[in-house]
Amino acid sequence: MNEALLRSLTPSVLTVLVRRGADFAAAEDAVQDALVEAVRVWPADPPRDAKGWLITVAWRRFLDATRADAARRRREDRVDEEPAPGPAPAADDTLQLYFLCAHPSLTPASAVALTLRAVGGLTTRQIADAYLVPEVTMGQRISRAKRTVSEVRFDRPGDVATVLRVLYLVFNEGYSGDVDLSAEAIRLTRQLAAAIDHPEVAGLLALMLLHHARRATRTTPDGSLVPLAEQDRGRWDTASIAEGVAVLQTALARDRLGEFQAQAAIAALHADAPTAGETDWVQIVEWYDELARLTDSPVVRLNRAVAVGEADGPRAGLAALAALDDSLPRHTAVAAYLHERDGDLTKAASLYAEAARRAPNLAERDHLTRQAARLHTRRPR
């Protein structure tokens, strides 16, 4: 079973059902039913037209659900017969579907969560982790969003800012998570940049390119994480870095700074340093100050504490960290790193071990466990 194929076809199939008159929540349920049926049937009897098969089965599932629901029987009056599937359109509707999900009737946070679940293919747990909220809270948010859009017409697309937020979170999950979505996020952001002259669209594209340029060096062949300072910079994708820097410079020249441009500027400074020791940490702190002003994000302030520790010394970094809530994800790991830089290996080893227990994924847990073990062997007896 080709799961990547199913994932790539899902947005277009969902778009077809919405265009045929299905409300969004019911269409999503029907598409999910069709995907389950594909997993069951295709290994023994693969279709010649995968997309057409999914459209046909999803539409039938939608009709079945509609007829079974008395509250929606009025929709049956508009359905004389099942539309013939016919040849599937070749156009890529994914970006349009992102805008449709970012409907004005939803808050930006709800629109992002709904799109990540329905179009991006992320699980509720993955979305909750991205938002730093409990999984049950995110599940309720997505359910409310589905109920809201089930009674509206998709004739008013959402705004660019919400779509950018979705693309950014999809890229991050693909970059660091279990599902490879980063290349798809870059592709869609390129489409958006070609269609819309907007400095933050350019800023997001630059940020994605600069991060993606380092992807091959972020892990070892066995999946172990490689910290930025230890990555082989000779293996970074210089073409992607050059493109990202050029896109960023053009955006910054318009003097309409946004958070994605600021993040891209930080990524560009890392990419520009020939070695980790030559990184311009002072300028990175300045960009984090700009980013904190734009977003007031605790995650930004956590990353800023690391940069302060590099620019002004670990004790300055620890002082910046002390101002933040210690329940913030990865707070303990940052504290461990700064205490190690300050020479307190016993404290650092203990914090690394604690951070490993709180790690959100296996790769990060294993990395932090190795850090703790490394310091246990170094500290004085």
Side-chain angles (χ1 to χ4, degrees):
M1 172 57 59
N2 190 332
E3 295 183 6
L5 173 62
L6 288 177
R7 193 180 303 120
S8 68
L9 291 175
T10 297
S12 294
V13 176
L14 187 55
T15 301
V16 170
L17 265 64
V18 171
R19 285 177 173 173
R20 287 183 176 180
D23 65 74
F24 187 87
E28 187 195 7
D29 289 342
V31 172
Q32 293 301 319
D33 287 345
L35 294 176
V36 171
E37 185 70 4
V39 171
R40 186 182 70 84
V41 172
W42 284 11
D45 185 20
R48 286 180 295 178
D49 179 5
K51 185 174 179 180
W53 189 98
L54 286 171
I55 291 172
T56 301
V57 173
W59 182 252
R60 287 173 179 164
R61 291 292 191 275
F62 165 71
L63 291 181
D64 290 343
T66 298
R67 295 187 181 104
D69 187 347
R72 296 175 183 170
R73 287 190 180 279
R74 63 183 182 275
R75 190 180 297 278
E76 290 185 357
D77 296 335
R78 301 198 297 270
V79 182
D80 296 325
E81 60 183 18
E82 178 185 329
D92 181 359
D93 300 315
T94 307
L95 191 58
Q96 179 187 7
L97 192 56
Y98 272 65
F99 274 95
L100 291 176
C101 287
H103 196 273
S105 64
L106 296 174
T107 64
S110 294
V112 170
L114 177 63
T115 313
L116 289 173
R117 182 71 185 91
V119 189
L122 275 64
T123 66
T124 302
R125 178 180 292 278
Q126 288 171 318
I127 302 169
D129 289 345
Y131 270 91
L132 309 180
V133 299
E135 182 178 1
V136 65
T137 300
M138 183 53 62
Q140 293 169 348
R141 182 180 300 176
I142 294 172
S143 295
R144 286 195 299 269
K146 287 181 180 180
R147 288 196 298 270
T148 299
V149 300
S150 67
E151 300 299 329
V152 301
R153 291 182 58 83
F154 283 90
D155 54 0
R156 291 189 300 149
D159 65 354
V160 175
T162 300
V163 173
L164 289 179
R165 177 63 51 193
V166 173
L167 289 169
Y168 176 58
L169 291 175
V170 169
F171 175 83
N172 277 345
E173 189 58 42
Y175 189 67
S176 61
D178 300 325
V179 182
D180 186 2
L181 297 169
S182 54
E184 173 69 357
I186 291 174
R187 183 183 71 83
L188 293 173
T189 306
R190 284 191 188 278
Q191 286 187 5
L192 189 58
I196 300 177
D197 183 20
H198 191 296
E200 273 294 81
V201 176
L204 178 58
L205 178 58
L207 176 62
M208 288 178 174
L209 290 169
L210 290 163
H211 278 313
H212 204 62
R214 304 199 303 259
R215 182 167 188 174
T217 65
R218 293 185 67 251
T219 58
T220 62
D222 65 1
S224 300
L225 294 180
V226 180
L228 176 61
E230 299 173 18
Q231 291 174 14
D232 181 357
R233 297 177 182 233
R235 294 177 56 211
W236 287 358
D237 184 347
T238 54
S240 292
I241 291 173
E243 182 185 2
V245 169
V247 170
L248 173 63
Q249 289 174 337
T250 300
L252 291 175
R254 300 179 63 177
D255 198 23
R256 290 169 54 193
L257 183 64
E259 64 172 294
F260 294 122
Q261 295 170 69
Q263 288 189 61
I266 293 169
L269 287 167
H270 283 298
D272 186 56
T275 66
E278 296 174 86
T279 304
D280 189 346
W281 286 106
V282 172
Q283 194 171 352
I284 287 176
V285 171
E286 292 173 356
W287 276 111
Y288 270 122
D289 288 339
E290 289 286 348
L291 191 55
R293 180 182 61 80
L294 290 166
T295 67
D296 194 29
S297 164
V299 175
V300 169
R301 297 188 184 280
L302 182 68
N303 291 331
R304 179 186 177 277
V306 176
V308 169
E310 299 290 351
D312 301 327
R315 295 194 178 182
L318 287 168
L321 187 65
L324 303 177
D325 186 347
D326 61 9
S327 67
L328 191 65
R330 297 185 173 87
H331 183 285
T332 307
V334 170
Y337 174 74
L338 292 171
H339 277 290
E340 179 184 357
R341 288 281 317 281
D342 195 39
D344 190 344
L345 303 189
T346 301
K347 178 72 170 177
S350 174
L351 288 170
Y352 275 130
E354 181 183 347
R357 291 190 292 271
R358 300 181 180 183
N361 56 66
L362 181 61
E364 191 167 337
R365 186 192 71 188
D366 289 347
H367 170 72
L368 293 167
T369 299
R370 286 193 298 272
Q371 296 295 88
R374 174 180 57 82
L375 294 190
H376 274 299
T377 63
R378 287 179 50 194
R379 65 185 184 181
R381 299 294 180 182

